[in-house]
Amino acid sequence: MEFNPGSVPCALCGEPFAVNENMVNSGGQVWHQKCFVCVQCFKPFPDGVYFEHENRKYCERDYQALYAPCCAGCGEFASGRVIRALAQSWHPDCFKCTVCKVSLADIGFIKHQGRPLCKKCNTEMKGTGMKFCMKCNLPIHGENITYRNQVVHPHHFNCRKCGKQMTHKCRERDGDLYCLRCFDNLESAICGACRRPIEGRIIHALGKMWHPEHFVCAQCEKIFDGRRHFERKGLAYCETDYSELFGDICFSCNKPCKGDVVNILDNTWCIHHFRCVACDVLLSTKSGAHFIDMDLRPYCRKCFEKIPTEMRRRLKKRGDL
């Protein structure tokens, strides 16, 4: 019997095949080439290689990101033989003594300041009071700094302003490190409102610097205090006043909405911007698809059903907290 392409639908879209159209046969099902894609990123499988989980097909990158642990040593995904130690996963070749780098996979280890050491190095380190750098995990023999409550080598960091490599004489401000020269220059910052020098935290906005208490909404004069602001003609407005004065702000394009709007999921969209976050299908018109809310983002039903069951469960659990 001659095979009729139109009699067998695609496993994804359900549409028939055209005459002489190439198809993919996998697991007893057939697919259009454009439909045979990863269920997570919706991209074709590199070299045709895919991985299955719960009867769903993933590219190697997304499969590892979702289901494979990362090695604490090299940061790559760990597969095959994996060592679990210090609440982390390791490739056997990456699980080494922090000091002498001898492999610990088959000889055991001793935990010292949260790091794995061989027995010999642990014996030598006892009573020395030596600290380990939280950045490179190596012992600190000379100068060190405390950055974000962690002891580190200063040479791992650069000045936030000039890019110069740090020494132990650097200074920290608002979570950033500065060399002494740049740190002193920060003291001369002038507030865009009161025109006085700024001491302490600085707000950078509208091309100027501000005291935190002076960076306020141009309409209600309330302090932003880290909240989002909207700029118009060189002035900053809070979201409420900007919307009242100039219209609603679209959650997608971040511009004032014109014409009809969609108010849902605690946000506002231009009617032509309310689309499925996965496939971009329009969701807001009468002829558009119904949407499903997951993690405060709209999905069409078709894309929602492609999301792995375990991911749905995790997001739902997080949303219920």
Side-chain angles (χ1 to χ4, degrees):
M1 179 182 295
E2 184 178 354
F3 175 70
N4 180 11
S7 64
V8 181
C10 171
L12 179 65
C13 68
E15 297 295 326
F17 294 85
V19 178
N20 298 326
E21 180 181 1
N22 291 330
M23 61 178 65
V24 179
N25 190 326
S26 175
Q29 295 179 309
V30 290
W31 316 66
H32 293 111
Q33 285 188 327
K34 65 179 181 179
C35 294
F36 192 62
V37 295
C38 171
V39 299
Q40 180 68 13
C41 65
F42 305 108
K43 295 181 180 179
F45 301 111
D47 301 322
V49 177
Y50 65 88
F51 295 79
E52 281 198 62
H53 182 80
E54 294 184 350
N55 295 322
R56 296 179 180 274
K57 295 176 175 59
Y58 300 85
C59 63
E60 182 177 9
R61 178 180 176 276
D62 287 327
Y63 179 82
Q64 291 178 334
L66 290 169
Y67 306 112
C70 290
C71 173
C74 65
E76 298 294 328
F77 293 110
S79 58
R81 184 188 175 194
V82 178
I83 294 177
R84 290 286 300 173
L86 304 176
Q88 294 176 309
S89 300
W90 312 72
H91 291 116
D93 292 340
C94 296
F95 190 52
K96 300 177 180 180
C97 173
T98 302
V99 178
C100 69
K101 303 303 179 183
V102 66
S103 176
L104 302 174
D106 299 312
I107 64 173
F109 72 98
I110 297 175
K111 180 179 177 181
H112 183 87
Q113 295 185 25
R115 293 166 175 77
L117 299 183
C118 64
K119 295 180 180 178
K120 178 182 177 181
C121 290
N122 181 67
T123 300
E124 294 175 352
M125 296 291 292
K126 283 183 176 179
T128 63
M130 182 176 293
K131 299 178 180 179
F132 286 87
C133 174
M134 295 297 292
K135 187 75 173 178
C136 66
N137 288 324
L138 295 177
I140 299 177
H141 297 287
E143 298 175 348
N144 67 84
I145 60 174
T146 300
Y147 179 52
R148 295 180 178 177
N149 298 320
Q150 295 182 338
V151 179
V152 292
H153 291 113
H155 62 257
H156 292 310
F157 301 91
N158 298 88
C159 175
R160 175 69 173 80
K161 189 172 183 180
C162 70
K164 181 181 178 181
Q165 182 174 293
M166 293 290 92
T167 69
H168 71 287
K169 296 182 179 180
C170 62
R171 297 290 184 270
E172 180 181 357
R173 169 173 286 182
D174 297 334
D176 294 316
L177 293 175
Y178 296 88
C179 64
L180 288 180
R181 180 176 181 180
C182 292
F183 184 81
D184 291 339
N185 289 337
L186 292 176
E187 301 299 326
S188 61
I190 302 299
C191 175
C194 68
R195 309 306 302 168
R196 294 180 178 275
I198 302 175
E199 297 180 2
R201 191 162 69 95
I202 301 175
I203 300 295
H204 294 266
L206 308 179
K208 300 178 182 179
M209 292 175 284
W210 313 76
H211 289 109
E213 63 272 18
H214 290 161
F215 185 54
V216 299
C217 173
Q219 180 69 12
C220 66
E221 297 187 349
K222 292 183 179 179
I223 299 173
F224 287 110
D225 195 23
R227 293 188 298 273
R228 189 179 183 185
H229 71 276
F230 299 85
E231 181 180 356
R232 186 178 177 91
K233 295 183 179 180
L235 298 176
Y237 297 85
C238 64
E239 185 172 2
T240 299
D241 288 327
Y242 191 96
S243 298
E244 291 179 357
L245 293 170
F246 311 112
D248 293 317
I249 306 300
C250 176
F251 184 75
S252 176
C253 66
N254 201 33
K255 296 180 180 179
C257 296
K258 297 181 180 180
D260 295 333
V261 299
V262 177
N263 291 297
I264 205 160
L265 302 179
D266 295 329
N267 288 300
T268 301
W269 280 267
C270 300
I271 194 168
H272 55 281
H273 286 157
F274 186 58
R275 298 173 178 269
C276 172
V277 297
C279 69
D280 207 39
V281 66
L282 186 64
L283 298 173
S284 58
T285 64
K286 292 181 179 179
S287 59
H290 293 292
F291 79 96
I292 298 177
D293 163 28
M294 190 176 77
D295 198 26
L296 294 180
R297 297 192 297 173
Y299 289 82
C300 67
R301 182 171 295 278
K302 189 174 182 180
C303 291
F304 178 80
E305 292 175 350
K306 295 177 184 178
I307 298 173
T309 303
E310 180 60 25
M311 181 175 289
R312 291 191 224 170
R313 187 180 299 114
R314 291 179 181 177
L315 291 174
K316 184 178 185 303
K317 183 178 180 181
R318 186 176 67 180
D320 292 339
L321 295 177

